[in-house]
């Protein structure tokens, strides 16, 4: 069965600083990986996804993520954080065949000015 | 995101009440999902419907009863809930069954059970 670990419950960064949110997954076959963001009172919005090919994936709002099979990781990065990026971020893994996603517990990002 | 709408956005109910949550998607998708989001816990998949047929019930208590009358609408009927059922209930939709298809989420219904 798949599982996702987001080791950091909370992260605080200064506006303009770089950001890296960690995600580790457990799945024996080819993982399909996603990052979603949830602003307060809102549903989840897809930032980016990885299925195959280039291991560095570009997403919306200036985010990118890198798939590292050897480390079972799919970390999310942004070179310069904006105050509007404050939200909760979820990593998720899906199977090659199937229609279910398994989500991590989320990381709450706080941005200080 | 306005592709998936949920009503009501907030609901307070007693343990003896019966209420329903509604989800509507305007994206032409064929699969719809109910998730439960509790504080400090990962999203929990509750139900999956594909082409109006339930294909997944993730051991959800019978006090939650889903209904999918067509591919655009999904309901969650609630009765005799418990306080621990208080949570954000999210609906999502997806075009098909390909794993590459993205799930699109609604804004959720914040449910409080007294």
């Amino acid at each position: 069965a798949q599982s996702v670990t987001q080791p950091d419950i909370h992260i605080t960064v200064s506006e303009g600083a770089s950001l890296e949110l960690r995600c580790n997954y457990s799945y024996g076959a080819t993982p399909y990986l996603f990052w979603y963001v949830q602003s307060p009172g809102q549903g989840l919005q897809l930032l980016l996804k990885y299925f195959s090919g280039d291991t560095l994936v570009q997403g919306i709002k200036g985010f990118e993520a890198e798939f590292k099979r050897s480390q079972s990781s799919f970390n999310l990065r942004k070179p310069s954080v904006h105050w509007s990026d404050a939200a909760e971020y979820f990593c998720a893994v899906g199977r090659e065949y199937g229609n279910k996603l398994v989500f991590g517990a989320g990381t709450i990002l706080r941005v200080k000015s | 995101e306005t592709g998936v709408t949920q009503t009501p956005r907030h609901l307070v109910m007693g343990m003896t009440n019966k209420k329903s949550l509604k989800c509507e998607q305007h994206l032409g998708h064929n699969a719809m999902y109910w998730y439960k989001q509790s504080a400090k816990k990962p999203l929990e998949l509750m139900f999956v419907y594909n082409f109006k047929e339930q294909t997944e019930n993730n051991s959800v208590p019978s006090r939650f009863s889903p209904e999918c009358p067509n591919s655009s609408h999904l309901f969650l009927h609630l009765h005799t809930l418990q306080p621990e059922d208080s949570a954000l209930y999210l609906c999502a939709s997806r075009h098909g069954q390909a794993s590459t298809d993205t799930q699109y989420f609604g804004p959720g219904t914040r449910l409080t059970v007294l």
Side-chain angles (χ1 to χ4, degrees), chain B residues 1-90:
Chain B
E1 282 288 341
T2 57
V4 182
T5 58
Q6 292 187 241
T7 54
R9 294 293 308 275
H10 301 271
L11 178 62
V12 179
M13 58 186 290
M15 289 190 286
T16 58
N17 293 157
K18 289 185 180 181
K19 298 286 184 183
S20 296
L21 309 184
K22 178 182 176 182
C23 175
E24 184 173 2
Q25 58 94 1
H26 312 272
L27 301 169
H29 290 170
N30 298 308
M32 297 187 78
Y33 302 73
W34 279 118
Y35 287 89
K36 177 182 179 183
Q37 187 178 27
S38 304
K40 304 189 188 308
K41 293 176 66 175
L43 269 75
E44 300 172 57
L45 178 65
M46 300 175 72
F47 302 103
V48 181
Y49 278 81
N50 284 289
F51 295 95
K52 303 187 296 179
E53 299 297 321
Q54 186 180 122
T55 55
E56 189 85 25
N57 177 337
N58 202 24
S59 303
V60 180
S62 59
R63 58 185 183 270
F64 295 90
S65 175
E67 179 189 4
C68 189
N70 54 62
S71 292
S72 298
H73 294 86
L74 184 65
F75 296 89
L76 188 62
H77 304 299
L78 315 171
H79 64 98
T80 59
L81 293 191
Q82 304 299 311
E84 60 265 28
D85 296 323
S86 298
L88 182 68
Y89 288 85
L90 292 166

Side-chain angles (χ1 to χ4, degrees), chain A residues 34-101:
Chain A
F34 304 79
W35 274 100
Y36 283 86
V37 60
Q38 185 179 33
S39 298
Q42 301 297 316
L44 277 68
Q45 181 185 21
L46 181 72
L47 286 174
L48 46 79
K49 56 188 178 182
Y50 171 78
F51 301 135
S52 63
D54 192 347
T55 56
L56 186 62
V57 181
Q58 302 298 321
I60 63 171
K61 305 184 179 185
F63 285 93
E64 65 179 27
E66 186 171 12
F67 170 60
K68 293 185 178 180
R69 185 184 296 274
S70 61
Q71 297 177 20
S72 298
S73 69
F74 188 57
N75 294 348
L76 182 71
R77 301 194 294 247
K78 186 168 185 178
S80 177
V81 169
H82 188 263
W83 63 266
S84 60
D85 293 324
E88 189 162 14
Y89 292 79
F90 294 90
C91 182
V93 62
R95 297 178 297 182
E96 185 170 3
Y97 300 102
N99 56 12
K100 293 196 300 184
L101 293 179

